[in-house]
Amino acid sequence: MRDVMGRLRLSLRRIGGVSRKELVELVRQPAMLFVLVVGPLLILLLFGSGVRAEDPAVRSIFVTPPGDEQLAEVVRGYADTQSERLTILDVTDDREDAMRELRGRRVDVVVVFPENPIEAVEQNDRATIEVIHSFIDPLESQAIRLFTRGAVSDLNDILLSEAVEEAQTQAATTLEEVEGLRETLDGPAGSVLMAQSDTDPEDLAIVLDDASIELEQLIEIDPDVVAAPLDGRASSIGGRVTTSQFYAPAVVALILQHLTLTFVALARSRERELGTVELFGVSPLREVERIAGQAVAYVLSGSALAAVLLAAVSLILGAPFRAGVGTVALVVVAELLASIGVGLLLSRVARTTTQVVQGAMLILLLSVFFGGLLLSPERLLPWAQPIGDVLPMSHALELLRDSMLRGLPLAAGPIATLVGMAVGTIAIGSWLAIREEHRG
C-alpha cells in the first residue's frame, strides 16, 4: 500500500512539474498569449461595435407614368415618408434612365408605378408596381420583397383615402344639386318648368340607361380590388440566386486567400529556421529570383485548387459563370498574387512557424468578419469598412459575385485595387527580403 501511495505521489509530482513548465513557457511568450487571446477578442469587439444597429438606407429612384401629375404628387408624398428606409434620389418619368442608373450600381432599387391604374380597376384587375433591384443576397432580396408588400399596402391606403375623399366630395355636390332641383320642382315654378320643358323622353331614357350601366359596372368590381387597387412584384436584374450559390464565391475567395498566404509565409519561415536562407545566400540564386519562383509555384497550385473548388460549386451547387470562365480566372490569379504578397509580409513579421500560424489565424478571422462573408460592407459602420479593404478576398469576392452571379464585366475599381495590392505587397515584401539578405 505504501509503495502504491509513493508511486502516486511521484506521478503527481511529475505531472505538476510538467504543468509548471508549460505555464512558464506561456508566461515567457507574451506575444503568443496576446495573439491567441487578445487578438480574437479584439477582432470580435471590433466586429460587434462596427455593425450597424439598423439596416442601411437603400438608394432608390421612383418612376411615374409620363404626364400623370396627380400620381406623381402621390408618389412624392409617399417618398417623403420613407426617408428612414430609402434614400430617394429622384422621382422621374424616364424609366430607361433609371434602369441605366441601376445597372451602373449607382442606385439599388427602381420602383416603377403603373400607367392608368384606374382603368385596371375598372377592368376588375389590380395595377402592378414593379420593384427592380440589384441585390443577389437572398436575405437582401427577401427584405426587398417585404418592402414591396409594405409599400403596396401604404400606397393602397393613400389611394383609398384619396378616392373616398373624392367620392365624398362628389356625393356632397350631387346631393346639393338634387336637393336644389327637388325644391325647385316641389315649388310653384315646378309645374311651369315641366310644362315648358322640351326634353325628349327617349333622351332621358338614354341618360338613365347610361347611369344604370355605370352603376352595374361599379357593383361588379371586386370589393378587394377597390380596397387594394395596387399590387407589387419584385425582381432582380441579377436573376434568382440561391443562398448556397450566393455564398459559394465568398468561400472560394476565403479558402484561396488563407491557404496561399499561409503556405507562402510557412515556406519562408521554414527556410529561415532550417538555415536554407544561408545556403541561398552563397549560391548564384538571387532573392528576387527565389521570390519569383515561389510566386509562380503558388499561382499554379492555387489555380489548380481554384479550378477544383469552382468546378465543385458549379456542379454541386449549380453556381453559374454568367460572365465567362476567363473573367473568373483573371480574378483568381489577381487574388492569388495579392495573397502571395500578404504572405511575404506576414513572413517578415512572424519569425517562426508558430507565429505564422497564429498570424494567419488572425487574418482568417478578420476575413470572416470584415471581408464580406458574413455581412456585406454596407452593414458595417463607416469606420469599420476600411478593415475589409486591406484584405484581398474582399475585393475578389465582389468581383467573383459580379462576374459569376450577375454576369457583369469586371468593375474597374475593385480589379485595380486588387492588382495594386498584389504589386504593392510583393514589391514591399521583396524589398524587405533583399534588404535582410544584404545585411546578412
Side-chain angles (χ1 to χ4, degrees):
M1 184 67 177
R2 290 180 180 178
D3 292 341
V4 173
M5 294 301 296
R7 287 196 296 270
L8 180 60
R9 283 194 295 269
L10 289 174
S11 178
L12 292 175
R13 189 176 302 168
R14 289 192 291 267
I15 292 173
V18 173
S19 300
R20 285 193 298 273
K21 188 265 295 182
E22 294 297 329
L23 291 174
V24 169
E25 288 292 331
L26 287 176
V27 174
R28 287 178 177 175
Q29 301 181 69
M32 186 180 72
L33 283 176
F34 178 84
V35 171
L36 292 179
V37 180
V38 181
L41 290 177
L42 181 61
I43 292 174
L44 288 174
L45 178 62
L46 286 174
F47 179 71
S49 59
V51 176
R52 293 179 184 269
E54 70 284 340
D55 291 337
V58 178
R59 300 168 300 172
S60 59
I61 294 179
F62 284 11
V63 180
T64 59
D68 195 340
E69 290 299 326
Q70 183 178 2
L71 181 57
E73 283 299 319
V74 173
V75 171
R76 291 190 185 95
Y78 172 74
D80 292 339
T81 66
Q82 300 299 308
S83 58
E84 293 184 359
R85 292 190 295 175
L86 299 176
T87 300
I88 312 296
L89 301 181
D90 192 15
V91 177
T92 179
D93 59 4
D94 190 343
R95 175 170 179 158
E96 291 302 320
D97 182 66
M99 292 303 297
R100 279 194 296 271
E101 294 292 306
L102 181 64
R103 285 189 288 268
R105 308 289 295 278
R106 290 178 289 274
V107 298
D108 303 310
V109 173
V110 171
V111 183
V112 182
F113 291 85
E115 296 185 9
N116 302 319
I118 301 302
E119 291 184 4
V121 173
E122 291 175 349
Q123 296 174 5
N124 205 21
D125 196 7
R126 289 188 174 96
T128 301
I129 297 176
E130 294 183 74
V131 179
I132 310 169
H133 60 89
S134 61
F135 297 112
I136 56 174
D137 185 346
L139 297 179
E140 298 284 2
S141 299
Q142 178 64 21
I144 291 297
R145 286 193 289 270
L146 294 176
F147 160 74
T148 302
R149 295 183 192 140
V152 168
S153 177
D154 294 342
L155 287 168
N156 278 328
D157 292 341
I158 293 173
L159 293 177
L160 182 60
S161 176
E162 292 191 354
V164 170
E165 183 180 354
E166 183 178 352
Q168 289 175 337
T169 302
Q170 292 178 351
T173 303
T174 303
L175 182 60
E176 291 177 0
E177 293 176 352
V178 170
E179 291 297 332
L181 181 60
R182 179 179 297 172
E183 291 177 0
T184 302
L185 293 177
D186 291 342
S191 56
V192 177
L193 290 174
M194 291 298 294
Q196 295 177 350
S197 174
D198 56 354
T199 302
D200 190 346
E202 294 183 359
D203 292 340
L204 183 59
I206 292 174
V207 172
L208 293 175
D209 289 341
D210 291 341
S212 176
I213 292 173
E214 292 180 359
L215 289 174
E216 289 176 357
Q217 291 177 343
L218 179 61
I219 293 173
E220 291 176 356
I221 295 177
D222 189 345
D224 292 335
V225 175
V226 177
L230 297 178
D231 197 1
R233 181 177 66 249
S235 61
S236 172
I237 60 174
R240 183 175 178 80
V241 176
T242 64
T243 302
S244 58
Q245 291 172 351
F246 174 76
Y247 284 105
V251 174
V252 171
L254 179 64
I255 291 175
L256 292 179
Q257 173 192 278
H258 178 64
L259 293 182
T260 302
L261 71 87
T262 303
F263 286 154
V264 170
L266 282 175
R268 297 188 66 83
S269 176
R270 278 198 306 270
E271 290 174 352
R272 194 162 44 239
E273 290 181 348
L274 296 175
T276 313
V277 176
E278 286 75 11
L279 295 177
F280 289 145
V282 297
S283 70
L285 182 65
R286 294 183 299 171
E287 184 65 22
V288 173
E289 295 171 339
R290 185 160 69 97
I291 293 175
Q294 290 176 332
V296 171
Y298 287 111
V299 166
L300 292 177
S301 60
S303 298
L305 175 62
V308 173
L309 293 175
L310 291 172
V313 300
S314 177
L315 297 175
I316 299 175
L317 303 180
F321 291 83
R322 290 173 176 159
V325 177
T327 304
V328 175
L330 180 61
V331 176
V332 168
V333 172
E335 184 192 10
L336 290 174
L337 289 172
S339 300
I340 289 171
V342 175
L344 290 175
L345 295 180
L346 177 60
S347 69
R348 308 311 306 165
V349 177
R351 308 302 296 178
T352 66
T353 55
T354 302
Q355 292 174 351
V356 167
V357 173
Q358 295 163 358
M361 183 195 68
L362 291 182
I363 295 176
L364 177 64
L365 289 176
L366 284 173
S367 302
V368 169
F369 290 118
F370 295 96
L373 177 64
L374 294 181
L375 295 176
S376 61
E378 292 77 15
R379 293 187 174 274
L380 298 176
L381 294 173
W383 65 263
Q385 294 178 9
I387 299 176
D389 293 338
V390 302
L391 302 168
M393 75 150 289
S394 64
H395 306 286
L397 168 58
E398 181 180 354
L399 293 168
L400 287 176
R401 280 177 176 164
D402 282 348
S403 58
M404 291 178 61
L405 306 181
R406 291 190 174 99
L408 298 177
L410 296 181
I415 190 63
T417 302
L418 194 58
V419 172
M421 185 181 298
V423 173
T425 53
I426 291 178
I428 295 173
S430 301
W431 176 73
L432 293 174
I434 293 171
R435 190 179 67 167
E436 183 180 21
E437 181 186 33
H438 289 167
R439 287 180 177 177

